[in-house]
Short mmCIF file of all heavy atoms in Angstrom, two decimals:
data_model
loop_
_atom_site.label_atom_id
_atom_site.label_comp_id
_atom_site.label_asym_id
_atom_site.label_seq_id
_atom_site.Cartn_x
_atom_site.Cartn_y
_atom_site.Cartn_z
N LEU P 145 6.51 -10.76 30.11
CA LEU P 145 7.89 -10.30 30.24
C LEU P 145 8.06 -9.70 31.63
O LEU P 145 7.19 -9.19 32.18
CB LEU P 145 8.25 -9.21 29.23
CG LEU P 145 8.32 -9.71 27.74
CD1 LEU P 145 8.45 -8.54 26.81
CD2 LEU P 145 9.43 -10.68 27.56
N LYS P 218 23.87 -6.57 33.33
CA LYS P 218 24.28 -6.11 31.94
C LYS P 218 23.12 -5.38 31.28
O LYS P 218 21.97 -5.79 31.42
CB LYS P 218 24.64 -7.38 31.09
CG LYS P 218 25.96 -7.98 31.52
CD LYS P 218 26.02 -9.45 31.16
CE LYS P 218 26.19 -9.70 29.71
NZ LYS P 218 27.66 -9.82 29.31
N GLU P 219 23.40 -4.34 30.62
CA GLU P 219 22.39 -3.52 30.04
C GLU P 219 22.53 -3.56 28.49
O GLU P 219 23.55 -3.36 27.91
CB GLU P 219 22.57 -2.11 30.53
CG GLU P 219 21.38 -1.16 30.12
CD GLU P 219 21.41 0.18 30.79
OE1 GLU P 219 22.29 0.42 31.68
OE2 GLU P 219 20.60 1.04 30.37
N PHE P 220 21.37 -3.70 27.87
CA PHE P 220 21.30 -3.81 26.39
C PHE P 220 20.14 -2.90 25.87
O PHE P 220 19.21 -2.64 26.60
CB PHE P 220 21.04 -5.24 25.90
CG PHE P 220 22.16 -6.21 26.28
CD1 PHE P 220 22.15 -6.89 27.52
CD2 PHE P 220 23.18 -6.39 25.35
CE1 PHE P 220 23.19 -7.76 27.74
CE2 PHE P 220 24.20 -7.23 25.64
CZ PHE P 220 24.21 -7.93 26.85
N GLU P 221 20.28 -2.55 24.64
CA GLU P 221 19.17 -1.75 23.97
C GLU P 221 18.98 -2.35 22.60
O GLU P 221 19.96 -2.71 21.91
CB GLU P 221 19.60 -0.33 23.81
CG GLU P 221 19.61 0.44 25.03
CD GLU P 221 20.11 1.85 24.77
OE1 GLU P 221 19.30 2.70 24.14
OE2 GLU P 221 21.23 2.21 25.17
N LEU P 222 17.74 -2.41 22.11
CA LEU P 222 17.44 -2.72 20.73
C LEU P 222 16.72 -1.52 20.09
O LEU P 222 15.86 -0.97 20.78
CB LEU P 222 16.59 -3.98 20.66
CG LEU P 222 17.27 -5.27 21.15
CD1 LEU P 222 16.27 -6.43 20.79
CD2 LEU P 222 18.55 -5.49 20.41
N VAL P 224 14.07 -0.78 17.26
CA VAL P 224 13.14 -1.53 16.51
C VAL P 224 12.39 -0.50 15.53
O VAL P 224 12.02 0.55 15.96
CB VAL P 224 12.09 -2.12 17.49
CG1 VAL P 224 11.36 -3.24 16.75
CG2 VAL P 224 12.76 -2.71 18.76
N ILE P 234 14.85 -5.10 13.53
CA ILE P 234 15.75 -4.63 14.49
C ILE P 234 16.87 -3.96 13.79
O ILE P 234 17.58 -4.54 12.97
CB ILE P 234 16.32 -5.76 15.42
CG1 ILE P 234 15.25 -6.61 15.93
CG2 ILE P 234 17.18 -5.17 16.48
CD1 ILE P 234 14.33 -6.06 16.98
N SER P 237 21.61 -3.57 17.66
CA SER P 237 21.63 -3.95 19.15
C SER P 237 22.82 -3.19 19.74
O SER P 237 23.74 -2.93 19.10
CB SER P 237 21.78 -5.43 19.38
OG SER P 237 23.04 -5.83 18.81
N ILE P 238 22.64 -2.79 21.01
CA ILE P 238 23.70 -2.00 21.75
C ILE P 238 23.94 -2.67 23.05
O ILE P 238 23.02 -2.94 23.76
CB ILE P 238 23.18 -0.61 21.86
CG1 ILE P 238 22.97 0.15 20.52
CG2 ILE P 238 24.19 0.25 22.65
CD1 ILE P 238 22.33 1.49 20.57
N ALA P 257 25.75 -5.83 20.00
CA ALA P 257 25.94 -6.44 21.29
C ALA P 257 27.02 -7.52 21.19
O ALA P 257 27.17 -8.14 20.13
CB ALA P 257 24.63 -7.22 21.71
N LEU P 260 26.30 -11.77 23.78
CA LEU P 260 25.12 -12.57 23.79
C LEU P 260 25.24 -13.63 22.70
O LEU P 260 25.61 -13.29 21.54
CB LEU P 260 23.93 -11.69 23.51
CG LEU P 260 23.43 -10.74 24.51
CD1 LEU P 260 22.20 -9.93 24.02
CD2 LEU P 260 23.16 -11.36 25.84
N THR P 261 24.79 -14.81 23.06
CA THR P 261 24.74 -15.87 21.96
C THR P 261 23.57 -15.52 21.17
O THR P 261 22.70 -14.73 21.45
CB THR P 261 24.51 -17.23 22.69
OG1 THR P 261 23.26 -17.18 23.25
CG2 THR P 261 25.63 -17.54 23.68
N ASP P 262 23.40 -16.32 20.03
CA ASP P 262 22.31 -16.05 19.12
C ASP P 262 20.94 -16.38 19.85
O ASP P 262 20.02 -15.66 19.78
CB ASP P 262 22.40 -16.96 17.91
CG ASP P 262 21.27 -16.62 16.91
OD1 ASP P 262 21.25 -15.54 16.44
OD2 ASP P 262 20.45 -17.54 16.67
N ALA P 263 20.96 -17.42 20.65
CA ALA P 263 19.74 -17.82 21.33
C ALA P 263 19.28 -16.73 22.29
O ALA P 263 18.13 -16.34 22.32
CB ALA P 263 19.95 -19.08 22.26
N GLU P 264 20.21 -16.08 23.01
CA GLU P 264 19.95 -15.05 23.91
C GLU P 264 19.56 -13.72 23.25
O GLU P 264 18.61 -13.06 23.65
CB GLU P 264 21.15 -14.76 24.87
CG GLU P 264 21.46 -15.89 25.77
CD GLU P 264 22.93 -16.13 26.05
OE1 GLU P 264 23.73 -15.26 25.69
OE2 GLU P 264 23.33 -17.24 26.53
N TYR P 265 20.23 -13.49 22.09
CA TYR P 265 19.90 -12.32 21.31
C TYR P 265 18.45 -12.42 20.76
O TYR P 265 17.69 -11.48 20.78
CB TYR P 265 20.94 -12.05 20.25
CG TYR P 265 20.51 -11.01 19.20
CD1 TYR P 265 20.39 -9.63 19.68
CD2 TYR P 265 20.05 -11.33 17.96
CE1 TYR P 265 19.92 -8.73 18.79
CE2 TYR P 265 19.59 -10.41 17.08
CZ TYR P 265 19.53 -9.11 17.46
OH TYR P 265 19.04 -8.16 16.65
N GLN P 266 18.18 -13.62 20.24
CA GLN P 266 16.86 -13.83 19.62
C GLN P 266 15.73 -13.69 20.64
O GLN P 266 14.63 -13.21 20.37
CB GLN P 266 16.78 -15.16 18.89
CG GLN P 266 17.74 -15.34 17.77
CD GLN P 266 17.67 -14.25 16.70
OE1 GLN P 266 16.65 -13.59 16.51
NE2 GLN P 266 18.76 -14.05 15.97
N ARG P 267 16.01 -14.18 21.88
CA ARG P 267 15.03 -13.97 22.93
C ARG P 267 14.71 -12.49 23.19
O ARG P 267 13.52 -12.09 23.36
CB ARG P 267 15.56 -14.66 24.25
CG ARG P 267 14.59 -14.52 25.39
CD ARG P 267 15.09 -15.23 26.57
NE ARG P 267 16.42 -14.76 27.10
CZ ARG P 267 16.79 -14.72 28.31
NH1 ARG P 267 15.98 -15.19 29.25
NH2 ARG P 267 17.99 -14.29 28.68
N MET P 268 15.76 -11.66 23.17
CA MET P 268 15.59 -10.29 23.37
C MET P 268 14.85 -9.67 22.13
O MET P 268 14.01 -8.82 22.33
CB MET P 268 17.01 -9.69 23.54
CG MET P 268 17.03 -8.36 24.14
SD MET P 268 18.76 -7.84 24.43
CE MET P 268 19.15 -8.57 25.97
N ARG P 269 15.22 -10.09 20.98
CA ARG P 269 14.57 -9.64 19.73
C ARG P 269 13.03 -9.94 19.82
O ARG P 269 12.23 -9.06 19.51
CB ARG P 269 15.20 -10.26 18.53
CG ARG P 269 14.76 -9.81 17.18
CD ARG P 269 15.41 -10.55 16.02
NE ARG P 269 14.93 -10.09 14.75
CZ ARG P 269 13.79 -10.50 14.17
NH1 ARG P 269 13.06 -11.46 14.81
NH2 ARG P 269 13.42 -10.01 13.04
N ASN P 270 12.73 -11.18 20.16
CA ASN P 270 11.34 -11.58 20.26
C ASN P 270 10.65 -10.69 21.23
O ASN P 270 9.48 -10.28 20.98
CB ASN P 270 11.18 -13.06 20.67
CG ASN P 270 11.63 -13.99 19.63
OD1 ASN P 270 11.85 -13.58 18.42
ND2 ASN P 270 11.89 -15.24 19.90
N ALA P 271 11.21 -10.40 22.37
CA ALA P 271 10.66 -9.67 23.43
C ALA P 271 10.33 -8.23 22.88
O ALA P 271 9.30 -7.63 23.08
CB ALA P 271 11.53 -9.55 24.66
N ALA P 272 11.36 -7.66 22.21
CA ALA P 272 11.22 -6.31 21.68
C ALA P 272 10.05 -6.18 20.70
O ALA P 272 9.27 -5.18 20.71
CB ALA P 272 12.49 -5.82 21.01
N ILE P 273 9.89 -7.17 19.88
CA ILE P 273 8.83 -7.13 18.87
C ILE P 273 7.48 -7.32 19.57
O ILE P 273 6.51 -6.64 19.29
CB ILE P 273 9.04 -8.23 17.83
CG1 ILE P 273 10.35 -7.88 16.97
CG2 ILE P 273 7.86 -8.46 16.91
CD1 ILE P 273 10.79 -8.94 16.00
N ALA P 274 7.43 -8.17 20.58
CA ALA P 274 6.20 -8.39 21.35
C ALA P 274 5.86 -7.01 22.01
O ALA P 274 4.72 -6.70 22.09
CB ALA P 274 6.39 -9.44 22.37
N ILE P 275 6.82 -6.39 22.59
CA ILE P 275 6.54 -5.05 23.21
C ILE P 275 5.94 -4.10 22.24
O ILE P 275 5.05 -3.29 22.59
CB ILE P 275 7.88 -4.51 23.93
CG1 ILE P 275 8.26 -5.43 25.02
CG2 ILE P 275 7.61 -3.10 24.33
CD1 ILE P 275 9.66 -5.19 25.57
N VAL P 288 14.10 -0.08 22.98
CA VAL P 288 13.73 -0.89 24.13
C VAL P 288 14.98 -1.26 24.89
O VAL P 288 16.03 -1.62 24.32
CB VAL P 288 12.99 -2.20 23.72
CG1 VAL P 288 12.34 -2.88 24.97
CG2 VAL P 288 11.95 -1.96 22.67
N GLN P 289 14.94 -1.10 26.21
CA GLN P 289 16.05 -1.37 27.07
C GLN P 289 15.87 -2.59 27.90
O GLN P 289 14.73 -2.73 28.59
CB GLN P 289 16.42 -0.15 27.94
CG GLN P 289 16.90 1.01 27.10
CD GLN P 289 16.94 2.32 27.94
OE1 GLN P 289 17.05 2.25 29.14
NE2 GLN P 289 16.83 3.41 27.28
N PHE P 290 16.84 -3.44 27.99
CA PHE P 290 16.83 -4.64 28.73
C PHE P 290 17.95 -4.74 29.76
O PHE P 290 19.03 -4.19 29.48
CB PHE P 290 16.92 -5.86 27.90
CG PHE P 290 15.83 -6.00 26.85
CD1 PHE P 290 15.93 -5.55 25.59
CD2 PHE P 290 14.63 -6.70 27.22
CE1 PHE P 290 14.90 -5.62 24.65
CE2 PHE P 290 13.65 -6.78 26.26
CZ PHE P 290 13.80 -6.30 25.01
N ALA P 291 17.76 -5.46 30.85
CA ALA P 291 18.90 -5.76 31.72
C ALA P 291 18.91 -7.32 31.84
O ALA P 291 17.89 -8.01 31.87
CB ALA P 291 18.58 -5.16 33.09
N ILE P 292 20.17 -7.80 31.90
CA ILE P 292 20.31 -9.28 31.99
C ILE P 292 21.25 -9.61 33.13
O ILE P 292 22.30 -8.92 33.43
CB ILE P 292 21.01 -9.76 30.63
CG1 ILE P 292 19.91 -9.75 29.63
CG2 ILE P 292 21.61 -11.15 30.85
CD1 ILE P 292 20.09 -10.67 28.49
N GLY P 297 21.49 -15.16 33.28
CA GLY P 297 20.81 -14.78 32.15
C GLY P 297 19.27 -14.31 32.28
O GLY P 297 18.63 -14.08 31.25
N ASP P 298 18.82 -14.17 33.52
CA ASP P 298 17.53 -13.59 33.69
C ASP P 298 17.46 -12.31 32.94
O ASP P 298 18.30 -11.51 33.05
CB ASP P 298 17.24 -13.38 35.20
CG ASP P 298 16.80 -14.64 35.84
OD1 ASP P 298 16.53 -15.66 35.15
OD2 ASP P 298 16.62 -14.64 37.16
N MET P 299 16.29 -12.05 32.30
CA MET P 299 16.13 -10.84 31.52
C MET P 299 14.97 -10.03 32.08
O MET P 299 13.87 -10.62 32.31
CB MET P 299 15.93 -11.22 30.11
CG MET P 299 15.78 -9.95 29.12
SD MET P 299 15.68 -10.52 27.44
CE MET P 299 13.96 -10.86 27.29
N VAL P 300 15.10 -8.76 32.30
CA VAL P 300 13.99 -7.85 32.54
C VAL P 300 13.97 -6.72 31.60
O VAL P 300 15.05 -6.30 31.06
CB VAL P 300 14.11 -7.32 34.00
CG1 VAL P 300 13.92 -8.40 35.09
CG2 VAL P 300 15.41 -6.57 34.27
N TRP C 109 27.43 -16.45 30.82
CA TRP C 109 27.10 -17.29 31.90
C TRP C 109 26.91 -18.85 31.46
O TRP C 109 27.01 -19.73 32.24
CB TRP C 109 25.83 -16.90 32.67
CG TRP C 109 24.64 -16.76 31.78
CD1 TRP C 109 23.69 -17.72 31.74
CD2 TRP C 109 24.25 -15.68 30.93
NE1 TRP C 109 22.70 -17.38 30.80
CE2 TRP C 109 23.05 -16.17 30.27
CE3 TRP C 109 24.85 -14.55 30.56
CZ2 TRP C 109 22.41 -15.33 29.34
CZ3 TRP C 109 24.14 -13.72 29.56
CH2 TRP C 109 22.93 -14.17 29.00
N HIS C 383 13.37 -15.60 14.69
CA HIS C 383 12.36 -16.68 14.82
C HIS C 383 11.10 -16.35 14.10
O HIS C 383 10.05 -16.83 14.35
CB HIS C 383 12.01 -16.86 16.31
CG HIS C 383 13.19 -17.34 17.15
ND1 HIS C 383 13.11 -17.41 18.48
CD2 HIS C 383 14.40 -17.69 16.80
CE1 HIS C 383 14.32 -17.89 18.92
NE2 HIS C 383 15.14 -18.03 17.94
#
Side-chain angles (χ1 to χ4, degrees):
Chain P
L145 292 173
K218 289 152 75 91
E219 189 172 351
F220 295 89
E221 287 177 72
L222 293 186
V224 197
I234 309 291
S237 63
I238 298 172
L260 291 180
T261 65
D262 185 64
E264 293 144 16
Y265 169 69
Q266 298 303 339
R267 177 175 61 147
M268 200 175 272
R269 182 182 180 279
N270 291 346
I273 292 172
I275 292 168
V288 192
Q289 292 167 28
F290 297 94
I292 286 201
D298 275 355
M299 181 175 86
V300 294
Chain C
W109 62 97
H383 299 173

